[in-house]
Amino acid sequence: MAVAQIFVDADACPVKDEVLRVAERHGMVTTFVANFGLRPSRDPMVRNVMVPQGADAADDWIVEHAGAGDLVITSDIPLASRALKKGAVVLGPTGKPFTEHSIGMALAMRELNQHLRETGESKGYNAGFTAKDRSNFLHAFDAAVQRAKRQGE
């Protein structure tokens, strides 16, 4: 079985440093995919992929390259759904996993919230990213990486 890789939807990802720390500790290849603004890395285990500007360019690249057992980090619910269909393990930046059981509700809530914003019923503010969210992500991500490595052995 191939060694699991990590793919990060990096444009607005608040946990890039945490991903790098865990990936380095476990010796895993990490690919950051974004439209802009990636910091170069000299680490051969870190790849930066710049995709053209476009609504789903980064998502499309990740789905094309991620496979079963890989880890995908994103807060983008449609991307999470597509990655799950490829067999990837998907985590949001708060550490919350997207699963086959939860993705349907997540997609429905996304559509409802979008409708409420469009009709003016909701301002669409997102909760701020907290230190607790960062800590939850670190724990969930480290556990997911360990599971992926065990499955790849």
Side-chain angles (χ1 to χ4, degrees):
M1 185 175 214
V3 176
Q5 295 185 64
I6 301 164
F7 295 92
V8 181
D9 182 10
D11 276 329
C13 180
V15 290
K16 291 182 196 102
D17 291 339
E18 289 76 10
V19 168
L20 286 174
R21 272 194 305 201
V22 172
E24 183 178 353
R25 188 167 63 242
H26 291 281
M28 294 180 72
V29 173
T30 302
T31 303
F32 291 98
V33 184
N35 298 114
F36 59 87
L38 290 174
R39 287 181 297 188
S41 174
R42 293 175 188 249
D43 186 336
M45 299 295 276
V46 176
R47 298 186 320 167
N48 288 330
V49 175
M50 298 290 286
V51 294
Q53 292 289 335
D56 293 322
D59 300 2
D60 293 343
W61 193 97
I62 290 169
V63 170
E64 184 179 320
H65 292 87
D70 287 335
L71 293 108
V72 174
I73 309 304
T74 187
S75 57
D76 183 301
I77 296 167
L79 170 56
S81 177
R82 293 171 66 194
L84 284 169
K85 288 177 183 162
K86 298 267 317 245
V89 174
V90 185
L91 282 179
T94 61
K96 183 178 176 200
F98 289 101
T99 67
E100 292 296 331
H101 299 295
S102 70
I103 197 66
M105 181 61 79
L107 285 165
M109 289 303 296
R110 178 184 180 273
E111 287 181 29
L112 174 62
N113 288 330
Q114 182 175 349
H115 174 73
L116 291 173
R117 283 190 305 276
E118 289 170 355
T119 60
E121 296 291 323
S122 169
K123 300 288 187 225
Y125 299 121
N126 290 327
F129 191 76
T130 66
K132 184 169 175 38
D133 292 333
R134 194 172 304 282
S135 176
N136 289 343
F137 174 79
L138 264 171
H139 287 72
F141 183 57
D142 192 62
V145 166
Q146 289 181 40
R147 280 192 306 275
K149 286 182 72 178
R150 281 195 301 273
Q151 289 173 353
E153 290 175 351

